[in-house]
């Protein structure tokens, strides 16, 4: 057989039903990891893909992929992993991986560094805002070109919340699946218990409000395994975990839709303080309460000032000589 004969046979085999009478579809998903600079995104990706590499700082936007076979002798499912480096300094690059072609199979993982509470809200707000705006633009276009897909994505946003959930009218789900990971739990665990409680309650509220899953993790194998469960669900369709841990003295693990505003309770501030805060939405109120305890770093502090061209891991002899000549 020539190479073409083999290729045709392979395509026919995929298109025709297999032994069970079902067509074998190759599952293909994409996930964008973003979050604090040096927050541990690369480490989490490498653990998910079971790669024993040493993580390097991410420059701009990096891509890798993983493959898994569902059964013996079936085509492998593919998951595309994108990672946005530089914290919030390269927001416009979010537009590259998310497009109208892959929006149906796209998910976002937001990694927040629990050891830096003063950067936490600003990082989260900026990244989620820019991602949401970009996704909404794609959905608006799809409503004109492919309304069925746009409707399907909008309905799917609500899948994690049962219609009889008491908070159904009070939340505003993120347009595509979202997982929030609180990293560096080992450092966070040393914080004062009141500080831990404020951070935990705030992240629980934000996750529930956006219809997201929440998990705290560190370099410990047991905690990384919990994060992997949620990511493997997004990447390869593995079963979701039904276990829940909402105890603030332990690492949180709350799959989407399994929390409630009554369990989370009110923002951690006195009634008189809350009365003085002017907020139009519950999210705004939580933000003000959180930032009273952890004043945010200015956005300029979070910008990346290091020139990647000076980074030794990207040395290219010929290119660098040409650049030096051009500079002269």
């Amino acid at each position: 057989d020539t190479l073409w004969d083999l290729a045709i046979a392979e395509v026919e085999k995929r298109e025709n039903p297999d032994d069970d009478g079902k067509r074998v579809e190759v599952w293909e998903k994409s996930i964008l990891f973003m979050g604090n600079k040096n927050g541990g995104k690369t480490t989490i990706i490498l653990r998910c893909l079971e790669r024993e590499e040493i993580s390097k700082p991410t420059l701009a936007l990096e891509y890798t992929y993983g493959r898994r076979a569902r059964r013996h002798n079936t085509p492998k499912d593919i998951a595309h992993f994108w990672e946005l480096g530089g914290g919030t300094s390269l927001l416009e690059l979010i537009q590259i991986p998310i497009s109208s072609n892959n929006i149906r199979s796209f998910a976002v993982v937001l990694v927040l560094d629990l050891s830096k509470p003063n950067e936490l809200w600003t990082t989260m707000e900026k990244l989620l805002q820019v991602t949401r705006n970009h996704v909404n633009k794609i959905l608006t276009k799809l409503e004109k070109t492919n309304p069925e897909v746009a409707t399907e994505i909008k309905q799917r946003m609500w899948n994690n919340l049962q219609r009889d959930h008491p908070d159904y009218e009070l939340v505003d789900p993120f347009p595509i699946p979202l997982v929030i990971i609180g990293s560096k739990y080992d450092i966070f665990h040393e914080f004062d218990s009141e500080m831990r409680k404020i951070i935990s309650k705030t992240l629980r509220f934000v996750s529930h409000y956006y219809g997201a899953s929440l998990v705290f993790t560190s370099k410990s194998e047991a905690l990384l395994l919990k994060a992997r469960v949620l990511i493997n669900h997004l990447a390869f369709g593995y079963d979701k975990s039904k276990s829940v841990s909402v105890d603030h003295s332990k690492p949180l693990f709350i799959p989407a839709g399994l929390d409630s505003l009554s369990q989370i309770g009110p923002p951690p501030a006195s009634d008189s303080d809350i009365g003085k805060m002017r907020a139009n939405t519950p999210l705004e109120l939580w933000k003000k309460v959180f930032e009273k305890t952890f004043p945010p770093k200015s956005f300029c502090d979070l910008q990346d000032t290091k020139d990647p061209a000076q980074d030794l891991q990207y040395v290219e002899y010929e290119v660098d000589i040409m650049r030096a000549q051009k500079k002269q």
Side-chain angles (χ1 to χ4, degrees):
D1 286 358
T2 67
L3 195 55
W4 289 113
D5 296 330
L6 293 170
I8 291 165
E10 178 65 28
V11 169
E12 279 176 356
K13 198 170 97 186
R14 285 189 190 186
E15 284 180 351
N16 293 327
D18 65 351
D19 305 337
D20 304 338
K22 291 181 197 147
R23 278 181 57 168
V24 178
E25 274 188 66
V26 177
W27 169 292
E28 208 168 314
K29 296 275 180 177
S30 304
I31 301 177
L32 172 63
F33 285 76
M34 54 191 188
N36 290 84
K37 200 168 178 289
N38 304 324
K41 299 182 288 296
T42 311
T43 309
I44 292 167
I45 292 173
L46 291 173
R47 288 303 302 121
C48 279
L49 298 173
E50 295 173 16
R51 288 190 195 152
E52 299 296 328
E53 295 167 31
I54 294 163
S55 57
K56 291 184 192 151
T58 301
L59 180 77
L61 187 67
E62 291 200 1
Y63 168 82
T64 186
Y65 67 93
R67 295 168 71 182
R68 298 272 157 88
R70 261 180 275 188
R71 294 196 302 277
H72 188 56
N73 280 345
T74 57
K76 286 186 174 178
D77 294 331
I78 301 165
H80 306 280
F81 288 83
W82 294 87
E83 183 187 354
L84 181 73
T88 53
S89 59
L90 300 164
L91 288 168
E92 62 279 10
L93 294 181
I94 285 171
Q95 299 172 20
I96 294 171
I98 311 177
S99 70
S100 52
N101 298 330
N102 64 11
I103 187 84
R104 287 169 81 178
S105 56
F106 212 97
V108 170
V109 174
L110 176 66
V111 180
L112 298 172
D113 187 338
L114 295 173
S115 68
K116 295 178 184 166
N118 299 74
E119 292 178 18
L120 198 140
W121 193 284
T122 315
T123 302
M124 173 176 74
E125 189 173 58
K126 288 264 184 261
L127 289 168
L128 290 183
Q129 222 167 19
V130 171
T131 309
R132 185 168 216 160
N133 291 346
H134 177 58
V135 171
N136 284 341
K137 267 186 202 161
I138 292 174
L139 288 177
T140 308
K141 272 188 195 162
L142 276 176
E143 276 168 358
K144 292 173 188 152
T145 57
N146 198 338
E148 292 89 8
V149 171
T151 310
E152 180 202 321
I153 291 168
K154 286 184 174 173
Q155 282 171 345
R156 215 174 49 194
M157 278 163 49
W158 293 93
N159 280 0
N160 287 322
L161 217 56
Q162 303 299 325
R163 273 203 175 271
D164 55 0
H165 194 292
D167 306 333
Y168 196 80
E169 300 292 323
L170 305 168
V171 295
D172 183 13
F174 205 68
I176 52 178
L178 173 66
V179 169
I180 296 176
I181 296 179
S183 66
K184 304 196 182 171
Y185 178 78
D186 44 344
I187 302 171
F188 171 76
H189 192 57
E190 305 298 317
F191 285 10
D192 165 70
S193 72
E194 201 48 44
M195 281 167 74
R196 286 206 315 266
K197 191 176 171 188
I198 293 171
I199 297 168
S200 297
K201 275 185 87 159
T202 303
L203 285 178
R204 275 180 70 186
F205 172 79
V206 170
S207 299
H208 185 57
Y209 185 75
Y210 283 132
S213 299
L214 175 66
V215 59
F216 283 3
T217 185
S218 70
K219 283 184 178 165
S220 100
E221 205 54 43
L223 289 185
L224 275 169
L225 200 65
K226 291 201 156 188
R228 258 179 73 184
V229 166
L230 292 175
I231 293 165
N232 278 335
H233 171 68
L234 295 178
F236 300 108
Y238 288 10
D239 287 346
K240 263 204 293 196
S241 172
K242 289 278 191 287
S243 72
V244 177
S245 168
V246 293
D247 183 349
H248 296 141
S249 60
K250 295 183 182 139
L252 297 182
F253 181 82
I254 311 167
L258 298 183
D259 211 343
S260 69
L261 294 175
S262 59
Q263 280 180 296
I264 297 165
S270 67
D271 290 350
S272 60
D273 278 349
I274 288 178
K276 288 176 201 154
M277 291 176 185
R278 292 205 174 137
N280 297 324
T281 63
L283 195 65
E284 217 175 293
L285 180 64
W286 278 85
K287 176 184 177 177
K288 289 189 171 171
V289 171
F290 185 79
E291 291 186 341
K292 195 168 184 284
T293 313
F294 304 105
K297 276 194 170 184
S298 73
F299 190 47
C300 305
D301 297 345
L302 299 177
Q303 292 284 26
D304 206 357
T305 47
K306 208 174 101 197
D307 178 6
Q310 308 303 323
D311 194 320
L312 292 176
Q313 68 169 317
Y314 302 109
V315 169
E316 294 245 7
Y317 182 71
E318 286 89 351
V319 178
D320 294 341
I321 285 181
M322 297 300 284
R323 282 193 59 171
Q325 276 182 12
K326 189 181 176 194
K327 234 178 183 171
Q328 274 180 334

